[in-house]
Amino acid sequence: MRPLLLILAALAVVVALAWRHWTHRVVRERHRIEDALKHLFDQEYRGRHASLTSLKGTLHLPDGPVLALVARMQALDLVRARGQEFDLTPEGERLALQVVRAHRLLERYFADEARLPLSQVHAAAERHEHSLSAEAANRLAADLGHPTVDPHGDPIPSREGDVPPAVGVPATSWTPETTGRIVHLEDEPPISFAQIVAEGLRVGQTVRVIERTPTRVVLTDGENEYRFAPAVAANVFLAPAPAHTAAAGVVRLPDLPDHVLAEITGLDDRCQGFSRRRMMDLGFTDGARIEPILRTFAGDPRAYRIRGTVVAVRRDQAEHVIVRPLDTATRGLA
Amino acid sequence: MTTGSTSATTPEAVIRRAASLRDTLSRGFRDEAVRSLYAEASRIADRATVRDGARLDIDQRIDALVTSPILGLPIMALLLAIVFWLTVAGANVPSAMLAEGLFWIEGLGVRMFEAIGLPWWITGFVWNGVYRGLAWVVSVMLPPMAIFFPMFTILEDLGYLPRVAFNLDFLFRRAGAHGKQALSMAMGFGCNAAGVIATRVIDSPRERLVAILTNNFVPCNGRYPTLIMLATIFVGAAFPPAFASFAAAGAVMAVVLIGVGVTLVVSWALSRTILKGEASAFTLELPPYRRPGILRIIYTSLIDRTLFVLWRAMLTAAPAGAVIWILANVHVGGASIAQHTADALGPLGHAIGLDGAVLLAYIIAIPANEIVVPTLMMIYLGTGMMTDVTSFEDLRRVLVDENGWTMLTAVNLMLFSLLHNPCATTILTIYKETLSARWATIGALMPLGLAFIVTFLVATIWRLVA
């Protein structure tokens, strides 16, 4: 009796382990396929073609497993091989778009609502993208207000699978001395993205290229200078700047002297999600009159009179408010 | 697409049309909607309201004073010191009266139980155990809370607290925490459980957790008795009698400031490890000053805060009283369980500069920190119930002469009292506020671990140097 029980128990353990191993393998294979599809989509979007080598680099896998994975994807009719290169089938593209959409929506969520540092947003989205169903992605999109770009400036595919074409010119080919808005920061390879973020560049920022040599590219936002190797600067994409930030006579709120009345002309595009809603709730809207009235011992935060109330705001939030100081003649009207 | 009314009638068609129109919206249409709402609101407000320039002027002058770069922080420290001093000084007499009254009832109950011939252990368990635990918590806790909370509520009602948050924000910003954490921290001086509830004003989940997990690092009313006792016996006694009370008060204030420092350091560490993230939007309204409403203050401070907190403390103190009585009255091999446990904890206690009895008192006092000193006296004196030693001279004799306390013991006990795990009420409140056993556990174990590490380091260095 006893040996029989023991054998049964051992058998149960083996079955349970095998089941776990098998389900784990199935899940892992699905994740790898999705990662591979994402890579293929990204290459096609940039007008390049994926190869075995590029797949190996992205998935961090040796030759054997990559070949097996590609064979499996061909069997599932997700991928077509054309010589050395691979293309997505319509079904493959549909799946790829789903994963890309989930990834970019999650990035938006982690950056705006969870306020994760920008350098960690990509990794966090990588961890969660495989478990976000298409329907959950739609709900997330609605909650976030149907965003169109992720925090790096990459377009988010719509639920119907439409992707706007890539915009922007790399900083390495941008005309020097003309103002441009950062529309996209390429997040691959992570090392150069980390450098860009650490230097303080953000999507939505207005900058100017002031120096372009074969060894370095220098950008400025008017206050700080950002120096990059051309290989890194090529990951910063610029587009013509919209009118209001380039307008004359405006300053950022922290630069407004105490007790000087000003009119808000807009909120910076870098301020999104939770922070933006909070500022709007408090009445930081175009045309509102604002006056800095209190400053603490550390100089930050400052308190401002706006719409009849006094609101304290930290410098990094106030940075996003663009104001036009009103001259003394118009002060009486306030 | 034309606006043909016949084509888009099915729900799918409407959704598709909405989706296609969404792309044609300008990027800032949300901003536009908010702007027009505000424009309409201010149009109505301008038509209907008259602005009182004088009122505005007074507010602005008060603000310029209490948030002034030079005087703002000293004014704040002064107000804090006044609130502490009033709480400590004002609570002594009512506490003693309450204790006398409640212990008189205990004597009455004991005599009544003895008169009807109940065995000694029933009398002891009910009156010297459960009842005494309750009476102790009520008499130690109620008077300071009934003084502290109304004063706190007056400051809150006046509108001063947002100015405190404004003044202190530069510290919390550097710690990666929310400026409003200053408010929940101030509340923690009254009661950490109330402080944890007060973190509801923080709207970002990450920063709220930081505030919840660090609230324990400011000492609450329940811990002042321990701090004041130690400050009086060890710090006050080192000064001439005329300055003794100021020296003692200074020592308590120093411990409080260390607590604020630890709050900031731990917040900083949390924001860089398990609660990683950037400071969220800190926008704080500084409302106009108001005359406090007396009825509202009495209601909020006494009903909502004092009685609420006291009730929770009583719920945990009654069982604690029972446990203490059992530990002290069940004898195994010639000594009580309490004595055995204290001996077993001795080596650990010694390593952190304390002794086994102190650790045992803290284990028993997890439900409510108020009973640490009485429990300690019970263990030291070998009596079968929580015991009070009335004069500081007697206390000094018991601690220093009979049980070998030194300055190191006093310093480490102050540190341990400041840093150790929150009371059961606070842990329960953390659980209720976060609905997560994990955060409640971290909220309990992280301070405990920190207390052990800090006291161990202090003891080791002290012994090496001395």
Side-chain angles (χ1 to χ4, degrees):
Chain A
M1 194 64 200
R2 284 269 290 284
L4 190 66
L5 269 178
L6 271 177
I7 290 169
L8 274 178
L11 213 64
V13 169
V14 168
V15 169
L17 282 178
W19 171 254
R20 248 200 83 172
H21 181 73
W22 186 72
T23 48
H24 181 78
R25 257 190 60 180
V26 170
V27 169
R28 198 179 52 186
E29 191 192 53
R30 183 169 70 83
H31 290 184
R32 277 189 186 153
I33 289 180
E34 287 181 357
D35 286 339
L37 288 173
K38 215 166 56 163
H39 171 71
L40 290 169
F41 171 81
D42 210 45
Q43 293 297 311
E44 282 185 18
Y45 183 74
R46 305 245 164 259
R48 296 188 287 250
H49 283 281
S51 63
L52 267 183
T53 324
S54 72
L55 260 178
K56 256 168 57 184
T58 312
L59 299 175
H60 305 291
L61 285 177
D63 285 330
V66 170
L67 280 172
L69 192 70
V70 170
R72 179 102 182 98
M73 286 164 73
Q74 280 175 318
L76 289 169
D77 193 28
L78 300 173
V79 165
R80 259 190 309 266
R82 265 198 344 205
Q84 293 292 307
E85 293 163 350
F86 301 108
D87 284 330
L88 290 169
T89 64
E91 175 62 10
E93 186 172 320
R94 194 188 62 82
L95 269 180
L97 278 168
Q98 218 171 40
V99 184
V100 169
R101 175 169 157 85
H103 178 89
R104 291 181 182 168
L105 282 169
L106 283 168
E107 283 190 327
R108 194 82 254 174
Y109 170 81
F110 284 124
D112 295 347
E113 308 292 327
R115 302 272 310 164
L116 233 52
L118 205 54
S119 53
Q120 292 172 20
V121 159
H122 179 72
E126 286 280 299
R127 274 199 300 283
H128 292 87
E129 64 191 4
H130 304 294
S131 42
L132 195 74
S133 69
E135 196 189 326
N138 290 339
R139 276 203 306 274
L140 182 61
D143 283 347
L144 294 172
H146 301 285
T148 51
V149 289
D150 75 4
H152 318 295
D154 280 318
I156 298 175
S158 72
R159 60 187 287 175
E160 290 77 23
D162 303 324
V163 198
V167 284
V169 178
T172 40
S173 3
W174 186 256
T175 325
E177 292 307 324
T178 53
T179 313
R181 199 169 72 93
I182 298 179
V183 290
H184 173 58
L185 297 172
E186 176 59 45
D187 54 3
E188 295 282 345
I191 183 107
S192 72
F193 179 67
Q195 193 197 339
I196 294 168
V197 170
E199 288 284 331
L201 286 187
R202 297 287 183 273
V203 170
Q205 204 166 349
T206 307
V207 291
R208 209 152 39 91
V209 176
I210 50 176
E211 195 185 322
R212 220 179 70 190
T213 66
T215 52
R216 67 173 188 179
V217 176
V218 184
L219 305 172
T220 180
D221 62 353
E223 288 167 43
N224 307 308
E225 288 190 359
Y226 308 92
R227 287 151 207 281
F228 298 105
V232 177
N235 288 337
V236 178
F237 291 78
L238 300 169
H244 77 265
T245 42
V250 299
V251 292
R252 292 185 181 270
L253 191 50
D255 303 327
L256 187 65
D258 285 350
H259 304 292
V260 170
L261 190 70
E263 188 183 72
I264 295 177
T265 60
L267 291 181
D268 200 311
D269 280 341
R270 278 183 292 165
C271 173
Q272 287 296 335
F274 180 79
S275 317
R276 193 180 190 92
R277 284 201 303 276
R278 196 83 185 90
M279 298 302 274
M280 304 287 281
D281 288 347
L282 287 166
F284 284 76
T285 55
D286 300 5
R289 300 278 167 96
I290 189 163
E291 180 189 345
I293 58 165
L294 297 171
R295 150 193 307 273
T296 57
F297 143 80
D300 177 23
R302 284 209 291 176
Y304 305 89
R305 180 181 303 287
I306 179 167
R307 297 188 185 278
T309 60
V310 180
V311 178
V313 183
R314 283 183 183 167
R315 178 177 250 279
D316 57 353
Q317 250 92 48
E319 272 293 321
H320 295 144
V321 183
I322 298 151
V323 297
R324 182 187 307 113
L326 299 173
D327 55 29
T328 36
T330 55
R331 270 198 79 168
L333 302 171
Chain B
M1 195 176 187
T2 58
T3 48
S5 52
T6 48
S7 61
T9 42
T10 63
E12 293 76 29
V14 173
I15 289 171
R16 219 175 306 124
R17 182 156 152 72
S20 70
L21 287 176
R22 193 184 299 129
D23 296 337
T24 64
L25 280 172
S26 70
R27 283 172 62 89
F29 77 96
R30 255 173 271 275
D31 300 14
E32 202 56 36
V34 177
R35 202 184 61 80
S36 62
L37 283 176
Y38 262 109
E40 181 64 9
S42 62
R43 194 184 61 79
I44 296 171
D46 284 342
R47 209 174 50 190
T49 56
V50 182
R51 298 233 165 100
D52 185 352
R55 251 323 291 284
L56 217 66
D57 210 41
I58 295 172
D59 273 9
Q60 204 158 338
R61 261 185 227 167
I62 300 176
D63 268 342
L65 184 68
V66 300
T67 67
S68 118
I70 302 155
L71 287 175
L73 292 177
I75 288 176
M76 210 179 61
L78 188 69
L79 275 174
L80 188 71
I82 291 174
V83 169
F84 281 148
W85 185 75
L86 283 177
T87 308
V88 170
N92 269 336
V93 176
S95 264
M97 280 165 60
L98 260 178
E100 204 173 312
L102 291 170
F103 291 139
W104 178 76
I105 296 177
E106 180 188 330
L108 209 67
V110 169
R111 276 199 299 283
M112 200 177 72
F113 269 43
E114 280 168 352
I116 55 173
L118 288 169
W120 70 272
W121 55 270
I122 294 189
T123 316
F125 183 78
V126 172
W127 289 104
N128 298 335
V130 176
Y131 178 82
R132 187 168 268 239
L134 279 179
W136 214 291
V137 166
V138 171
S139 62
V140 175
M141 229 173 149
L142 181 58
M145 283 204 302
I147 298 173
F148 180 86
F149 279 134
M151 283 197 289
F152 187 82
T153 316
I154 289 174
L155 290 180
E156 197 179 24
D157 234 37
L158 271 171
Y160 180 64
L161 289 190
R163 274 79 183 175
V164 171
F166 180 60
N167 278 341
L168 287 183
D169 181 62
F170 74 101
L171 290 173
F172 286 97
R173 176 169 46 82
R174 280 176 203 166
H178 202 279
K180 285 182 187 169
Q181 193 176 330
L183 302 182
S184 62
M185 187 181 79
M187 194 64 166
F189 287 125
C191 168
N192 293 134
V196 168
I197 295 175
T199 60
R200 289 179 187 174
V201 296
I202 300 173
D203 42 18
S204 131
R206 183 190 77 81
E207 285 155 324
R208 185 163 172 227
L209 267 174
V210 170
I212 287 177
L213 295 180
T214 56
N215 193 272
N216 176 55
F217 295 123
V218 291
C220 62
N221 275 327
R223 289 186 266 170
Y224 288 135
T226 316
L227 296 177
I228 291 166
M229 177 198 88
L230 292 167
T232 312
I233 295 180
F234 287 90
V235 182
F239 286 81
F243 299 104
S245 69
F246 288 105
V252 174
M253 193 71 184
V255 172
V256 166
L257 290 183
I258 293 175
V260 173
V262 173
T263 302
L264 290 166
V265 170
V266 175
S267 301
W268 178 86
L270 284 174
S271 324
R272 266 148 199 82
T273 53
I274 53 173
L275 287 170
K276 228 180 256 183
E278 289 188 2
S280 77
F282 168 71
T283 44
L284 176 77
E285 276 184 76
L286 303 177
Y289 291 98
R290 282 180 313 194
R291 202 147 46 96
I294 300 300
L295 281 179
R296 188 174 54 237
I297 285 177
I298 291 176
Y299 182 84
T300 332
S301 59
L302 295 186
I303 310 291
D304 265 12
R305 290 179 181 158
T306 309
L307 290 186
F308 175 75
V309 172
L310 189 67
W311 173 243
R312 280 199 180 177
M314 283 168 68
L315 284 182
T316 48
V323 169
I324 292 170
W325 190 85
I326 293 172
L327 285 178
N329 286 282
V330 177
H331 287 73
V332 181
S336 64
I337 299 182
Q339 203 55 55
H340 282 304
T341 324
D343 290 345
L345 289 171
L348 179 59
H350 180 76
I352 60 169
L354 302 171
D355 63 20
V358 176
L359 283 186
L360 176 61
Y362 268 101
I363 294 172
I364 299 174
I366 286 175
N369 281 294
E370 289 75 9
I371 56 178
V372 165
V373 177
T375 309
L376 196 57
M377 289 301 125
M378 174 192 87
I379 302 168
Y380 277 154
L381 298 176
T383 51
M385 56 189 92
M386 284 186 269
T387 311
D388 198 6
V389 176
T390 38
S391 79
F392 282 122
E393 287 77 49
D394 288 346
L395 208 56
R396 191 177 167 76
R397 190 176 47 72
V398 171
L399 297 178
V400 179
D401 302 339
E402 292 174 15
N403 287 288
W405 278 35
T406 60
M407 196 57 154
L408 170 65
T409 325
V411 167
N412 266 4
L413 185 52
M414 280 197 185
L415 287 174
F416 194 81
S417 168
L418 181 72
L419 301 175
H420 79 97
N421 57 291
C423 68
T425 313
T426 307
I427 299 174
L428 194 70
T429 311
I430 295 178
Y431 175 74
K432 285 197 173 163
E433 292 296 310
T434 58
L435 288 181
S436 146
R438 188 169 139 243
W439 288 120
T441 313
I442 293 177
L445 295 186
M446 190 249 318
L448 188 64
L450 192 67
F452 273 109
I453 292 169
V454 168
T455 48
F456 175 75
L457 286 178
V458 169
T460 312
I461 294 170
W462 191 295
R463 281 169 186 149
L464 279 178
V465 173

